[in-house]
Amino acid sequence: MKQYFRSAALTTAVLLAGGVSLAHADSVTVGLQLEPPHLDPTSAAAGAIDQVVYSNVFEGLTRFYGDGSVNPGLAKSWQVSDDGLVWTFNLQEGVKFHDGTSFEASDVVFSLDRARAEESTNAQKALFSTIASVEAIDDQTVQITLSEKNGNLLFNLAWGDAVIVAPESIENIKTNPIGTGAFKFADWVQGDAITLERNAQYWGTPAHLEGATFKFISEPSAALNAMMAGDLDAFMGFPAPENLALFEADPRFNVLVGSTEGETILSTNNKMPPFDDVRVRKALAHAIDRQAIIDGAMFGYGTPIGTHFAPHNPDYVDQTANSDYNPEKARALLAEAGLGDGFTTTLKLPPPSYARRGGEIIAAQLRDVGIETEITNLEWAQWLEEVFRGKDYGLTIVSHTEPFDIGIYARPDYYFQYENADFQELIAELGAVSEPEKRSELIAAAQKTLSDDYVNGYLFQLAMLSVADSRLEGLWVNAPTQASDLTSVRWMK
Amino acid sequence: MRITDFLKSRNFVVGKILTTIFCLAALISFFWTPFPVDGVDIPNKLQAPAWPYLLGTDHLGRDVLSMIMAGARVSIAVAVLAVGIGMLVGVPLGLAAAANKGKLLDEIIMRGNDLVFAFPSLVIAILITAIFGASAVNAIIAIGIFNIPVFARITRGGALSLWERDYILSARVAGKSSTRISLEHILPNVMNLLIVQGTIQFSLGILAEAGLSFVGLGVQPPIPSWGRMLAESQTLIYTSPYLALFPGMAILLTVLGLNLMGDGLRDLFDPKLREARR
């Protein structure tokens, strides 16, 4: 009898161990805050789409790695003509789309022509603006001809908005995305989760994972509970920085702290009085204590910035001293602008906690120098409608997460309504230059211009905060683009 | 009814004490709170309850006690005004319906009431604030609207039985119009009912305001609100549980106090129970 018990216990133990390792060996459940509206990254701005499909399902000619570098993707190599206008891409061989159709040069022509077409709804058409034509030389070779030199071409082609899609499957791409990636789309339960499975016919290094499920949890406290309960193996972009200490103290979890391309700014309506006066904008900048906002809203995670540029970029110029915290100076500037008695403006806040909490802190700091703010909390849809498209706001807080997006300041119709001919010229010049030194110089000049014009209140670079099971490896720590690349993720033995 | 009757009702006394405490806190907050209500003070954030922050500080370093005091003011103001709207509109409707019992006007008023009543109250409030924007005024209107049918019904119910009384009959014979009868004879006699119901609606109003603020549709920051304090404490509940505890207790005790007071009043106003007590 005793013997029986012992063997029974042993069997149970073996079964349990086997069960646990099985559950973990082959798949992963990843939490994300936002559910994508659909799954076509080439026809909408929503970063939530790329968060699921980038590199997992869809690939471009080039692709970002987690360190931000641009690497060969579906193009294995390329040559540039001496005048820099003709780019010849040699494509990977033996690549098949998930529906079995083969990937050829004609698919590249189709994808890029579709993205840059007049009626295209691609969210980043500017990426393709210098492309004059795309031609298939043979099945494995594509030639892109530019209308002017573009030093950013390989970088631009790595974006989720420039991935390669197939004409055969384009009709249902929004609900049934067919790409060339290491994972195939399997299922989407609206409002809950998207499931991917390993692509057995993948042309490159196959994924370690058999499958992956993305679960959408917008509520920060629900995200915390799901991680703690073990329902999720990882959460990319964890929404509640105040809880990271809990995960850090728990050996079951790893906390990944990296950087994003998100410049978090106090966007200012440059056309709306009194913000059309640079002295008022300068006063705003000096009234803001960045460190208090980082500590209060982000629990210390984030790097102060003084202009619209990512501090981890080698071309970054530290302009924070230009707008240091100095309420005395802010009051003096306001008095100089004839607003010694202060004024009232609106502060419209989208849902993320950096905005909601940061907004309350900024409201208190502005009140200290005599600027009263009326806070309105908005949902994303309302924010896009009223602030981003309607330009009906005084101040707002938002993180601009696109990589290398300083060019938005050259668009006078953009929602901060900043119009500066010199700056627009700088950006135009930058687009045409590919010598690294000259580019660095222009980028530095652009950063200084924004800082000296105090276009917006520059707060901090948003940190990428993720939590993962400590046995999981290969997740991106930084977010050079919005993505949850799972192709090299695996469970440690 | 004597003052000693009130004091004999344990429900009433406990309810009255709780309610008075919160009303006093709200009144005092107009001219004094331990710390400024919107005093963001990042270096002192998330302090556990201790001197000088008796109930601790929140994630932005604001004093929780000060916020609860000012939050009481918001809760009470919203609830009073919402109940006021409900009474001002609902009571005349109820009186009119009773005076025209069985006629078309009665039907229109009461079926209209049923329509409003059929919607879950908080859903109406969310609908209204979602359409017209989140603000204290819209929250008051929203909560006020679902108070209307409550008061209309209770007034009509009370008034209907009164219309059968002999003294009403004599007033009619004397040639008084039904409007005058409603105002001079019916209204004073349904007052007891209205006061009891008003107390209960008042506590529901406080709950509704907290619910709306919890989902972000009530008063907007930086004006403190108990509901928003609860919402903001959600992710901090493991590290700073007091942030959820104190506003939660404030809501609980105020609502409990008002309900006990309402129960006590009902018992006191009920003639049968009053006789039994003697």
Side-chain angles (χ1 to χ4, degrees):
Chain A
M1 194 67 193
K2 208 171 175 187
Q3 190 64 39
Y4 169 77
F5 269 126
R6 195 184 293 160
S7 69
L10 198 66
T11 322
T12 322
V14 168
L15 277 177
L16 277 176
V20 167
S21 69
L22 262 184
H24 277 307
D26 45 15
S27 72
V28 37
T29 307
V30 177
L32 295 176
Q33 210 186 357
L34 293 178
E35 181 169 28
H38 60 75
L39 295 173
D40 178 11
T42 63
S43 68
I49 303 173
D50 298 272
Q51 202 77 53
V52 173
V53 301
Y54 185 80
S55 271
N56 294 330
V57 176
F58 287 111
E59 299 172 300
L61 290 179
T62 54
R63 67 187 273 185
F64 289 116
Y65 280 4
D67 60 1
S69 61
V70 175
N71 298 273
L74 287 171
K76 60 181 175 191
S77 60
W78 47 81
Q79 298 89 40
V80 200
S81 67
D82 291 341
D83 60 1
L85 291 180
V86 182
W87 291 69
T88 311
F89 290 88
N90 306 310
L91 305 182
Q92 294 284 358
E93 281 155 45
V95 179
K96 288 217 181 310
F97 281 97
H98 298 150
D99 60 356
T101 55
S102 56
F103 160 78
E104 288 157 0
S106 59
D107 296 310
V108 177
V109 177
F110 169 77
S111 301
L112 296 182
D113 282 351
R114 176 172 166 271
R116 63 200 187 89
E118 187 85 18
E119 68 280 6
S120 151
T121 56
N122 195 290
Q124 302 292 343
K125 281 166 96 168
L127 294 176
F128 315 104
S129 62
T130 54
I131 297 180
S133 69
V134 184
E135 284 161 81
I137 305 295
D138 58 46
D139 280 355
Q140 303 302 326
T141 318
V142 172
Q143 186 174 300
I144 297 181
T145 310
L146 303 181
S147 53
E148 53 188 278
K149 268 168 82 171
N150 183 352
N152 287 329
L153 184 68
L154 295 174
F155 175 85
N156 290 357
L157 291 175
W159 282 50
D161 305 80
V163 296
I164 304 304
V165 293
E168 293 89 346
S169 52
I170 199 69
E171 202 179 328
N172 295 322
I173 185 172
K174 291 188 173 181
T175 50
N176 185 24
I178 303 287
T180 56
F183 289 97
K184 290 194 281 193
F185 170 77
D187 189 28
W188 183 0
V189 180
Q190 298 261 356
D192 180 36
I194 289 177
T195 313
L196 307 179
E197 57 189 40
R198 179 159 64 195
N199 174 10
Q201 273 85 46
Y202 187 56
W203 57 271
T205 317
H208 302 289
L209 299 168
E210 200 102 310
T213 304
F214 288 103
K215 256 183 131 29
F216 307 105
I217 302 177
S218 57
E219 198 58 51
S221 47
L224 171 68
N225 292 337
M227 273 313 292
M228 283 293 176
D231 295 344
L232 301 176
D233 299 315
F235 204 108
M236 304 297 285
F238 193 76
E242 60 271 38
N243 287 322
L244 291 181
L246 285 176
F247 291 112
E248 265 163 2
D250 192 327
R252 290 181 295 157
F253 302 107
N254 262 347
V255 174
L256 312 174
V257 179
S259 55
T260 70
E261 297 299 318
E263 292 84 17
T264 310
I265 59 177
L266 176 69
S267 295
T268 309
N269 193 338
N270 278 246
K271 285 254 164 76
M272 180 196 261
F275 301 124
D276 51 354
D277 184 337
V278 66
R279 289 171 299 187
V280 176
R281 298 200 302 267
K282 191 174 177 186
L284 276 183
H286 286 299
I288 293 168
D289 179 1
R290 295 187 183 91
Q291 199 54 48
I293 298 168
I294 295 172
D295 290 343
M298 299 307 294
F299 287 72
Y301 297 101
T303 314
I305 52 170
T307 180
H308 197 101
F309 215 71
H312 52 82
N313 190 306
D315 287 330
Y316 174 72
V317 183
D318 188 352
Q319 290 286 103
T320 47
N322 201 26
S323 47
D324 58 328
Y325 177 51
N326 189 345
E328 287 298 313
K329 200 165 170 184
R331 278 185 218 109
L333 281 160
L334 284 177
E336 202 185 313
L339 291 165
D341 299 332
F343 63 95
T344 301
T345 186
T346 56
L347 177 57
K348 300 195 171 176
L349 304 173
S353 60
Y354 66 72
R356 294 279 165 91
R357 288 180 183 157
E360 291 202 52
I361 300 170
I362 286 182
Q365 292 173 354
L366 293 184
R367 196 178 309 121
D368 185 41
V369 300
I371 304 172
E372 284 294 327
T373 50
E374 285 164 12
I375 294 180
T376 320
N377 288 341
L378 299 175
E379 292 307 310
W380 272 122
Q382 289 172 298
W383 186 87
L384 286 169
E385 184 64 35
E386 274 182 40
V387 179
F388 193 73
R389 280 192 288 271
K391 298 167 187 122
D392 174 20
Y393 76 106
L395 300 169
T396 182
I397 299 175
V398 75
S399 200
H400 284 258
T401 52
E402 293 85 7
F404 197 77
D405 55 357
I406 196 167
I408 51 181
Y409 287 81
R411 289 160 56 181
D413 61 332
Y414 207 64
Y415 76 107
F416 7 94
Q417 309 200 76
Y418 171 62
E419 210 163 347
N420 178 338
D422 294 342
F423 185 84
Q424 288 163 23
E425 210 165 287
L426 267 176
I427 294 297
E429 214 181 326
L430 182 65
V433 169
S434 54
E435 296 79 35
E437 278 141 50
K438 182 75 186 142
R439 283 183 65 82
S440 296
E441 217 172 276
L442 288 168
I443 292 169
Q447 291 178 56
K448 287 208 183 82
T449 309
L450 295 186
S451 166
D452 290 339
D453 266 351
Y454 299 93
V455 184
N456 293 313
Y458 299 101
L459 307 177
F460 59 90
Q461 195 71 13
L462 195 63
M464 176 73 185
L465 306 171
S466 301
V467 183
D469 190 300
S470 53
R471 291 163 294 174
L472 206 58
E473 65 174 18
L475 284 167
W476 281 15
V477 175
N478 298 319
T481 187
Q482 282 198 307
S484 328
D485 185 343
L486 300 177
T487 52
S488 50
V489 171
R490 64 170 164 192
W491 291 100
M492 280 187 275
K493 291 289 174 297
Chain B
M1 213 180 326
R2 290 169 310 203
I3 193 93
T4 48
D5 288 342
F6 282 98
L7 294 179
K8 268 186 219 151
S9 163
R10 213 176 302 143
N11 278 356
F12 180 81
V13 171
V14 174
K16 181 74 194 163
I17 290 173
L18 285 173
T19 313
T20 311
I21 290 175
F22 281 98
C23 289
L24 272 179
L27 279 178
I28 293 171
S29 79
F30 274 104
F31 41 89
W32 179 83
T33 51
F35 288 88
V37 171
D38 47 15
V40 171
D41 179 15
I42 304 298
N44 279 318
K45 67 176 180 170
L46 297 177
Q47 301 275 341
W51 184 260
Y53 303 105
L54 290 182
L55 301 186
T57 61
D58 75 352
H59 59 289
L60 299 180
R62 294 171 296 193
D63 179 45
V64 172
L65 177 60
S66 306
M67 289 175 80
I68 285 185
M69 286 172 69
R73 183 166 87 202
V74 172
S75 288
I76 291 172
V78 169
V80 163
L81 291 169
V83 170
I85 291 175
M87 278 197 177
L88 275 178
V89 182
V91 172
L93 284 177
L95 289 174
N100 297 283
K101 187 190 168 217
K103 295 192 192 138
L104 183 63
L105 183 67
D106 182 27
E107 281 298 312
I108 292 174
I109 291 174
M110 294 323 288
R111 295 302 79 77
N113 272 330
D114 291 344
L115 196 69
V116 178
F117 221 65
F119 287 98
S121 49
L122 203 58
V123 174
I124 299 190
I126 289 174
L127 183 78
I128 291 173
T129 46
I131 293 174
F132 298 105
S135 72
V137 175
N138 288 341
I140 291 167
I141 294 173
I143 301 169
I145 284 179
F146 66 71
N147 268 315
I148 292 173
V150 176
F151 285 106
R153 278 189 178 185
I154 200 134
T155 310
R156 179 176 177 269
L160 279 184
S161 64
L162 294 174
W163 274 98
E164 307 297 323
R165 300 284 177 87
D166 289 343
Y167 68 94
I168 301 291
L169 202 63
S170 59
R172 286 170 79 175
V173 171
K176 282 194 175 178
S177 72
S178 55
T179 315
R180 270 189 73 183
I181 295 175
S182 291
L183 293 177
E184 288 174 13
H185 301 294
I186 309 275
L187 184 58
N189 284 299
V190 293
M191 234 5 163
N192 286 352
L193 286 175
L194 293 179
I195 289 171
V196 172
Q197 193 63 36
T199 320
I200 292 173
Q201 289 310 113
F202 190 77
S203 71
L204 292 177
I206 286 182
L207 273 182
E209 190 277 328
L212 282 180
S213 294
F214 186 85
V215 295
L217 294 171
V219 295
Q220 296 293 302
I223 304 165
S225 144
W226 295 345
R228 188 149 33 76
M229 289 174 76
L230 270 185
E232 285 174 351
S233 70
Q234 274 188 98
T235 54
L236 294 157
I237 200 155
Y238 289 96
T239 44
S240 311
Y242 62 90
L243 281 180
L245 184 68
F246 295 130
M249 289 297 283
I251 296 171
L252 176 84
L253 292 176
T254 316
V255 170
L256 181 72
L258 284 164
N259 276 323
L260 286 177
M261 201 165 90
D263 281 357
L265 283 174
R266 193 193 54 215
D267 295 351
L268 289 163
F269 287 143
D270 191 319
K272 289 194 199 111
L273 287 176
R274 199 162 44 191
E275 285 309 313
R277 250 198 313 279
R278 285 231 171 107

